[in-house]
Every structure is written in C-alpha cells, then in structure tokens.
Amino acid sequence: MTLIQEIDYGTPASKVEKMVTLTVDGTEVTVPEGTSIMRAAMELGTQIPKLCATDMVESFGSCRLCLVEVEGRNGTPASCTTPVADGMVVKTQTDRLKRLRKGVMELYISEHPLDCLTCSANGDCELQDMAGAVGLREVRYGYEGERHPNPGIDASNPYFTYEPSKCIVCSRCVRACEEVQGTFALTIAGRGFKSVVSPSMEQPFIDSECVSCGACVQACPTATLNEKSIIDIGTPEHSVVTTCAYCGVGCTFKAEMRGDELVRMLPYKDGKANRGHSCVKGRFAYGYANHKDRILNPMIREKITDPWREVSWEEAIQHTASEFKRIQAKYGKGSIGGITSSRCTNEETFLVQKLIRAGFGNNNVDTCARVCHSPTGYGLKTTFGTSAGTQDFDSVEQSDVILIIGANPTDGHPVFASRMKKRLREGAKLIIVDPRRIDLVRSPHVQADYHLPLKPGTNVAVVTALAHVIVTEGLVDEKFVRERCDWDEFQEWAAFVADPRHSPEAVEKISGVPAELIRGAARLYATGGNSAIYYGLGVTEHSQGSTTVIAIANLAMATGNIGREGVGVNPLRGQNNVQGSCDMGSFPHELPGYRHLSETATLEMFESFWGRPLDDEPGLRIPNMIDAALDGSFKGIYIQGEDILQSDPNTQHMSAGLAAMECVVVQDLFLIETANYAHVFLPGSTFLEKNGTFTNAERRIQMVRKVMAPKNGYEDWEITQMISNALGCPMNYNHPSEIMDEIAALTPKFAGVSYEKLDELGSVQWPCNEQAPEGTPVMHVDGFVRGKGKFVITEYVATDEKTGPRFPLLLTTGRILTQYNVGAQTRRTANVVWHEEDRLEIHPFDAEQRGVRDGDWVKLTSRTGETSLRALITERVAPGVVYTTFHHPSTQVNVVTTEFSDWATNCPEYKVTAVQVMPSNGPSEWQEEYEELSKAARRVAEPLVAAE
Ligand code: SF4
Ligand code: SF4
Ligand code: SF4
Ligand code: FES
C-alpha cells in the first residue's frame, strides 16, 4: 500500500480547444492554447521549481522561483504566468536560472524558522522540497535578520491550526478561499515582513467568515495551515480513494492512513463530482467512527422497557429470524417489513430489498428517500421517463442562468455550491425561489438577479406563473417542443397556464411574490441562454411536491432547456445514496431499476434469478406500516441505517406505531432515537469499514473502499446476508462486487457496471450499458427516455395546513452546513462548536409582537405537538414565516410537523406547518423527560462499548 500522490501541474488546465506545440528542454510537447509553460513542462514530467503556484488556483507570479528562459525573449519570465506559444523554445535548467532560484530560496529560508525536525510538515513541506530541488546548500544572509511576526498559533478552529511565523506569503490560501471555495474569508494584511494572512478582520479563524472547507489548508505549501490530526498523529503512509458518506454531492477523498488509523481525508482532484474540493463534513467530521457512543456488540431485549443484553452475533441473528418467523406464522406474511437506508451502499440496499421480497415474501420495503425525494422520482419519470437528474455537475460551467428552487446549496450541497458560485462570478445570472434569504441571495461577489420570497406551500402557483409569462409573452422554444414533446399535450398545457388565474398578478395574491419579480425571472430563465434548474427538498416535501417537480420539468421543456450541457433539471439529493437507494428497488411497488411489479416478464426474471416466488402486490410504505402497526396487523420491522423516529413527521404517531410492534430490529452505529423502541440492536459499520458503491445526485456510481476492518466485525451487507440465511433464504456473496454483478445482470440501466469498470474509469453515470458503455453524463440528448416529453397540467391546490388565529405563523425546516440530518454522526464530532442546538429563526416583527428577544427560549406549538428551543431573530425569514433545523433529538422538531403528505408519493409535508410561537422558560416537560430517557438508554449501553 502506498500514499497516493497526485501530480500538481502548477496551474489549472486550459479549456481552449486549439492546440499549440512548443519545445521544452529539447522535447516537443503539444498542449491547449492558454496553458502555462509550467504546466506544459509538467506534461513532459519536468517539474519546474515553484512555491506560489498550484493547479487548484490561477497563477499569481509572486515567488519568482519558477523562472525559465525562452528563446528570442529577454529576461527570465515566470513559467507559471507565461502562456505557451506555437514554436516556443523553453529552457528550464541553465546556470543563470539555477543561480537566480538559489537566490530566491536563500531569501525565503533566511527568514523561516528552522525547526524542520519537529515541524508537523516535516517530509510533506514544499519549502523543504524546493530547497532541495534548487540545491540550496548555504544561506548568505544568515538566519538572524528580520522575520515575520510571530503572534503565536491560532488553534481556534477545531480541525486546523494557523502558525503565522511559518508563512511564506504565497497567497495560495487566499486564492483557494476565493477561487475554489468562494468564501473570500482570507486576505493578506500588512506589508513586507509584517504581512500576514488575515481571516476576516484579523480575527481568529473560529470567529471569521471561514466555513472550514479546508481548501486553504490543502493549498498551503508549508505547515502554516495544518490539520490538527497531522500534528497529533504524524504524516500518513498509505491512502485509499473512497467516497464521502454525507451528502448527495458525492465527493471523492483520499483516506490517508497510518497503519489502521485514519490521519486525514484529503479531497481527490480526480473526483468527478468535487474536482479536489471538500466541505467541513467530508473533510473533517469523521470522528464519529471512533466515538465512544458507538455500539460494537449485538444486543437484544424482550421488552423495550428492559435493559439491553449483550449477545453473540449468532444469537442476535437467530433471535431476529425466529421472531420474524413467529410473527409471520401468527399474523400472516405481510405482518413484517423493512426499511433500506440512503446512508448505506447500493449493494447493501439491494440486499435488504431482496431479503424482504425473497425472504419475507412480501413487498413491504420502503426507504428514507420516501421522506425526501420520492416526488422527484414520480415527477421526472412522468415527464421525462426517468427518475433522476439530467446533468452532471460539470454542466453548471456552461450555464448562463441558474434557477434555484427550494434548495440552499451553500449549506446542503456545499461543494457543488462552490462550483456554482464560480460560474456566477464568471457572469451567470441567478434566480432564487425560496421563502428564506439564503446565503446565495447575497454573498461575496454573488448576488441573485431575482429572489422570489414565496409563502411556503405556494411553489406550484409560482412555477406555473413563470410558465404563464413564458407562454403568453411568446418565449416558448416551439421548435424544441414540436420536435421533442407531445404537441397536443403541450397545447393543452399552454392553454392552461395562459389562463389569467395563473398570471403573476393573480399569483402575487397567493404567494406574496411581487408580480414584476415573477415576470422578470421568467423572462430571464427563458431568454438568458443556457438555463439550468436546481432544486431541493423545498420543492419535494410538500403536499404538492410531485406537482412542483412536474411544473419544473414543464418549464424546462417549454424553453428547450433540456438535453445538452448547461441546462436541465437537477434535484440536489440529500443523503449520500438517496439516488442509489431509489435505483435499487427500495419502494414497495417497484423492483430495482424502477420497474413496476406489474411488469410480469421482469418479475419472472427476478423470480428465476433468485429461485423464489415473488409477490406481485405492492407492499406498504413507511406511513402505512405505522398505521398498520397501530391497527395490529404489522408487527415486525428491520430498519437498516435510518432513524425514522427523528426524521419522519408526527413523532408521536411514529413512536406509538413502533411501540405497538413485537420485534423492531435496528441496525445502526449508535443507539439512535428509534432504538428506544427496538428489541434487537445490530451494530452497523461505517463507510470507512466497508466496500461498495454510492450513487450521487448526478447518477454517478462511485466506489466506497474499505480503509479499516469493521469495528463491529461485519460489513452491513454481511449482516443482512446472515439474517437472510437464518430465515432460510440463501445468500452466499463473498464480496459486494458479486452483488453489483447481480444488480447489473438484473437491471438494464446498470448492465455495464462492474467493479473493474469503476476501478478503471473512477466512476460512471447510469445508464451504463451496451449503448453507453462509459455511462451517460447528460440525459435526454437525442430524445426523452419515455419517447416524447410529456407536459402535464399542474393545478395549484392549497395545502390543508392553514394558518389561523391559533397558529398564525408558517414553519419551514432545513439544515445547516456543519450538521447532517438527524445529526447522529455530526453531533458526535467537533462540528458541534458551530451548532450545538437547533434555533428558531423568527423575523424581528414577529418576535417583537411576542415579546421575544434574541436567545430567549420559545415554545413552538402546532396542532400535533409542541417543543421548545431558543429564538434567533433574523431578517433571513419574512414576517409570518419561522424556520428551524432538525439536527438535535433534544428539540425533535418533527413533533410539530403534521401527517399531510405529497398526494402522489406520501412524501411528508415538512416544509409547511402552521404554528404559534410564544415565550417559554426553557425546555418542555417532555423534552426533559426525553433527555432523561435517552441518558438512561445510553447508560445501559455504556458498559458494552469498547471505548477508544
Ligand atoms: S477553510 Fe475554507 S473557508 Fe476557511 S479560510 Fe480556508 S478556504 Fe476559506
Ligand atoms: S498560510 Fe500558507 S498558503 Fe497562506 S500565504 Fe502563508 S504559506 Fe502561503
Ligand atoms: S459536499 Fe457533501 S459529499 Fe462533499 S464533502 Fe461535503 S458532505 Fe461530503
Ligand atoms: S511559482 Fe511561479 S512565481 Fe511562484
């Protein structure tokens, strides 16, 4: 095993198509016009000494170490800032250059603290490397002269330190923060020897605008910015390329190891989704894998009020199987079911649904994607014929107009947000449709051209009003529609949206968005060039979630913004493998690959492959399972990697349903909230401990590679396999690659996918089959998957969740950058320094009316429940709207969300709840009781945990 060292070409690749040929040190090289001499030389394997250049940021030309000679030109130009030219003849190594470079290095070294042997970057320091590369043997100026200020080390960030005395003022960090991350948190303050890197207004990092993405740390050539883990553990000695297990961006990382200890996660430049960038979660928040709360031994108990009893794996598996068999014998085949996880791999998810269909003999399988993106599946399949986003992330680089609806990319999909911000800084226009003033509305060097701050629950009205403007003002791309879509359906739709009741003026009354904003945004989207739509859960988690997805698809088809780079309809998927868990057949009516159970030939193919009869009746969705549990007909459930108690709506209903079951089996890393109702706890493995694949928001299938042995003894797929075998449904996989081979054999979209191909290409986007052996970056290029694109009428129907005198405010929910979903992982990392509790955002007007001051405890009440949390007074929300996150079980905001859900898919309506907010003295009574209960549950488990 070796440490993977990626080549640093010194400057970014040129995107110019025209090629030029030059000669470097006597050898010809052909590169795109616009390439720097430094990069052209590196293409030949010639590394010109450099300090201020790195290929993640544009060249700067400050260190003067990379000088070269160019035939016919005077002087010694910097190779990082000098572009190549046809016929150019370059020399990189002459006596004059050697002398000059030594002189430069002497100046750097003369003012650098020479504590190399005890420096944390010893062996991984470009300054050291360059001293060697130029043959520096003495420093004529001595080491006693003036130096950089040494104000001490800033260790305020939990993950990295800043030690100004080691800074060579190369500005790589400043440029990384600007160009790669787009936060602009750093500047160089002062001049000459006094110049230092300054976070915000010379503040400690923790108090600055820094979002801890780590780009500056990665860019720093010295130990000035350094990971604390490197300082603690030392430099890594081998690395493994794997995929982040947090969000649907799917960033590729090198997990850098020393022995079996993870030293750091370093973003991989060859990662197609992230292109070498990261966010604070994937880069730093992996400490949960070693947290003392992690359960490593199986446990069972008779009743949920009993203490847990640690048992062997064999006993836990046999107990699970015999309980499931007992329940089915007593209550019938359909009395048990299971839930797959969007946190787990494709292979694990595939096995869970196989266990349920082939082992349980029913289709009672559902997934956490039910509560987030199921309307995406329905809406895009109906209109385009496939349940997935249309583009790759690179596509945004070709967009002229970006329309974001119900998504907050800088918090939810931060690495893609950085790529988006880069395009916006280059001049792309931005439209945001969101009740909140999310960061992208105005952030450094980015300002939305239109922000449509609609009332929660009125998405369909607003998107249909955008369509009204496009149709009535003659902005439809008729050629595209005639060629690519069903013309009759289009005409019907056009007549519908043209109705005056869908005009911006009429919709203003419903949505609160000024009509001229809707008109302006519609004109920009339709006429601004390549227009791309990105949307999130602010679209799907509504009673009309599927209708909004359809309305968005209508908009893209009507304007011809589909089927090429720069355009498209792109759901920003929440969890790391939401796309994959849906692809793998996690829904009760569909087999893997979105094939309905009623497709007899497909069902028969699965029956023959699996050697088991399969039920052709759709099974229960999660809410139906809970209802059936309360009715007494559903008694057992296998839940892999999903905290339904905390993440699903109407917590009281959920807990009552779980409590009514006779065997709840939870497979997870921690005693999550749902485990309070479990009879069997099977410890799960982290993404660092398993092999498999995740599929990100771009349909990109990427490898997850095991970097250490599972601390619990088994990878999650092995646990499912053991249950299946104990139930008498044989599974004999030796490695997840064999599961992928089965997926490929049974699923046409995955027919060309194999671990060998993924190893070879790095990743592929499905469909990947005979027609597209290397995958499909952009979909619907020559035609829609369903044939003709389908326009569907999108009648706005107001949600039944209404404000009134008792509940006058509308609550909407979301997440923030540093925490992840129910927080089971991120709450067990140092990320809590940024967000240790959920807060309720409330507009100053609403706060004043209620006598609420910033930081006060408030009681949040809806018709389903109440919870208390602290207030955060802000104008990010409009008057009449309040907002909170759902990361902390001590708040459990889903006690107030309702049972309303999307008409087509049952996706809960998390984004609209009528509430009241009143001052309170502190946590509610139930919260205090709950806190005690959770502590008790942890106490029972504590002796069983192998502490780190
Ligand atoms: S960690 Fe990221 S946001 Fe913070 S200063 Fe560095 S580059 Fe900027
Ligand atoms: S902190 Fe590092 S990257 Fe930034 S200017 Fe100093 S040496 Fe260069
Ligand atoms: S953007 Fe998402 S996938 Fe990338 S590092 Fe952050 S959490 Fe992980
Ligand atoms: S690397 Fe070219 S001037 Fe610094």
Side-chain angles (χ1 to χ4, degrees), residues 908-944:
E909 190 173 44
Y910 288 123
K911 302 296 183 190
V912 193
T913 309
V915 293
Q916 178 57 292
V917 175
M918 296 307 272
S920 82
N921 294 328
S924 303
E925 214 171 288
W926 75 259
Q927 286 172 284
E928 282 172 352
E929 280 169 20
Y930 196 85
E931 196 59 17
E932 282 310 306
L933 182 74
S934 300
K935 271 191 210 146
R938 282 196 288 272
R939 264 201 302 277
V940 172
E942 249 160 23
L944 310 174

Side-chain angles (χ1 to χ4, degrees), residues 292-615:
K292 67 177 176 53
D293 284 356
R294 203 168 150 200
I295 307 293
L296 301 174
N297 298 299
M299 303 187 293
I300 60 177
R301 57 184 176 182
E302 291 303 309
K303 299 196 294 292
I304 60 171
T305 47
D306 290 346
W308 284 109
R309 183 166 63 86
E310 186 182 332
V311 295
S312 67
W313 270 105
E314 196 190 347
E315 184 177 345
I317 297 294
Q318 289 306 328
H319 179 77
T320 301
S322 75
E323 276 296 279
F324 283 162
K325 279 185 197 160
R326 179 188 65 76
I327 290 170
Q328 281 192 308
K330 186 166 171 191
Y331 300 101
K333 199 169 67 173
S335 59
I336 62 172
I339 297 176
T340 71
S341 173
S342 298
R343 320 290 290 145
C344 289
T345 63
N346 286 317
E347 293 75 4
E348 287 161 350
T349 307
F350 180 86
L351 275 210
V352 173
Q353 64 87 37
K354 178 175 177 180
L355 165 71
I356 291 161
R357 297 188 202 282
F360 293 1
N362 63 44
N363 292 303
N364 292 337
V365 55
D366 207 356
T367 179
C368 39
R370 160 80 47 226
V371 300
C372 62
H373 265 291
S374 47
T376 289
Y378 181 88
L380 297 186
K381 184 151 192 198
T382 304
T383 48
F384 301 158
T386 191
S387 302
T390 60
Q391 310 298 117
D392 59 3
F393 288 150
D394 286 353
S395 163
V396 78
E397 291 170 15
Q398 313 297 325
S399 297
D400 302 307
V401 178
I402 298 171
L403 168 54
I404 302 174
I405 310 182
N408 185 5
T410 50
D411 283 65
H413 303 85
V415 166
F416 180 61
S418 292
R419 298 186 69 180
M420 208 179 233
K421 283 195 282 187
K422 190 169 191 180
R423 182 65 193 148
L424 292 166
R425 290 197 301 276
E426 288 167 357
K429 303 286 184 199
L430 177 63
I431 303 165
I432 293 176
V433 182
D434 201 288
R436 278 173 87 225
R437 200 159 43 74
I438 59 170
D439 283 347
L440 280 175
V441 172
R442 194 188 178 115
S443 58
H445 301 274
V446 169
Q447 177 148 17
D449 298 88
Y450 292 95
H451 174 211
L452 278 48
L454 77 181
K455 196 172 128 196
T458 60
N459 284 335
V460 171
V462 170
V463 180
T464 307
L466 293 171
H468 173 95
V469 177
I470 288 164
V471 168
T472 57
E473 296 190 5
L475 306 179
V476 168
D477 182 344
E478 193 176 319
K479 182 168 175 290
F480 179 91
V481 176
R482 279 188 184 276
E483 279 173 12
R484 301 282 303 272
C485 307
D486 185 307
W487 182 248
D488 291 342
E489 284 167 353
F490 165 75
Q491 283 182 306
E492 208 181 309
W493 171 81
F496 164 78
V497 298
D499 190 293
R501 72 196 159 96
H502 301 305
S503 70
E505 291 69 24
V507 167
E508 177 174 344
K509 297 188 184 75
I510 301 166
S511 66
V513 181
E516 67 274 15
L517 290 186
I518 298 178
R519 285 196 180 276
R523 288 170 192 146
L524 178 58
Y525 175 76
T527 63
N530 282 343
S531 293
I533 300 177
Y534 294 88
Y535 71 87
L537 304 184
V539 158
T540 54
E541 290 177 341
H542 287 269
S543 60
Q544 281 201 293
S546 292
T547 318
T548 310
V549 175
I550 289 169
I552 286 170
N554 289 338
L555 216 54
M557 289 189 290
T559 54
N561 278 309
I562 199 94
R564 62 178 189 279
E565 286 280 308
V567 299
V569 174
N570 304 285
L572 292 173
R573 301 288 188 155
Q575 305 196 73
N576 52 323
N577 201 32
V578 174
Q579 181 67 55
S581 72
C582 297
D583 299 341
M584 291 299 111
S586 294
F587 292 125
H589 62 290
E590 283 171 342
L591 293 160
Y594 304 98
R595 285 158 305 161
H596 200 276
L597 288 165
S598 60
E599 291 177 27
T600 313
T602 307
L603 193 71
E604 282 172 3
M605 179 178 66
F606 274 85
E607 283 181 326
S608 115
F609 207 99
W610 290 347
R612 312 275 295 187
L614 300 178
D615 190 351

